[in-house]
Amino acid sequence: DDEETQKYTVENTYNIYVEGTGKSEDGSDTAAATPFLIVEQYDYGSQDVVAGDTFDLRFSIKNTGYLPVENILVAITAPEALAITSSSNTLYIASLSAGASSEQLITFRAKANADPGSHAIDIKFSYQYLDQSTRKEGNTQESIAIPVIQQDRFFVNDLEPPQMMYAGDENMIEVTFINKGTTEVRN
């Protein structure tokens, strides 16, 4: 009313879920989603890797989860056709924030006797993360393909025709074919 001031008090409680906090919508504790590490993208420099050549493999590791990960071990298993030349087959990354990426570079050599075709490199991740003050471990694995080609090294020696031939005569011409490559030549 106009003569008297009145006060009203209203109290409400709202539970808001904030991703990555480990709280559900009703405010109770819940385990966070397991973070995963993936190879987000990779580049080996060209269309195909020529057998016998060295190439740099650049790849980006991404933390897809909502929690940071730490103590990351990256184990790389190269197929028989490829060899790591710049380092060991294990990389260590101290930590990777939620949603962050880390660029890596490893130099490989495609062996000279490598079969032509795609060769899979296996990348295994093992890491740790904290979920509500509890340390947990995670593992993921990816495979990426590197296409290797063998250069054709096919030669034909010069023809050696006879010194003289007459019309209607039969004679032989010798031709030598040499395949210095490691793949079979057809047709």
Side-chain angles (χ1 to χ4, degrees), residues 61-152:
I61 300 168
K62 181 172 179 144
N63 176 359
T64 63
Y66 299 106
L67 297 172
V69 295
E70 52 192 27
N71 295 326
I72 305 161
L73 285 177
V74 183
I76 299 164
T77 305
E80 184 66 32
L82 304 174
I84 298 172
T85 63
S86 66
S87 65
S88 75
N89 69 330
T90 305
L91 303 171
Y92 175 76
I93 303 169
S95 64
L96 197 55
S97 303
S101 297
S102 173
E103 297 287 327
Q104 301 297 318
L105 170 73
I106 296 181
T107 303
F108 283 86
R109 174 176 292 282
K111 294 182 181 176
N113 62 350
D115 291 333
S118 289
H119 297 276
I121 295 174
D122 291 326
I123 302 174
K124 295 179 185 176
F125 304 102
S126 61
Y127 50 92
Q128 298 175 339
Y129 61 98
L130 286 175
D131 181 12
Q132 299 179 29
S133 302
T134 303
R135 184 166 299 281
K136 294 185 177 181
E137 293 188 11
N139 295 293
T140 55
Q141 181 174 338
E142 294 265 342
S143 289
I144 58 176
I146 305 295
V148 175
I149 61 168
Q150 281 284 346
Q151 283 188 325
D152 290 332

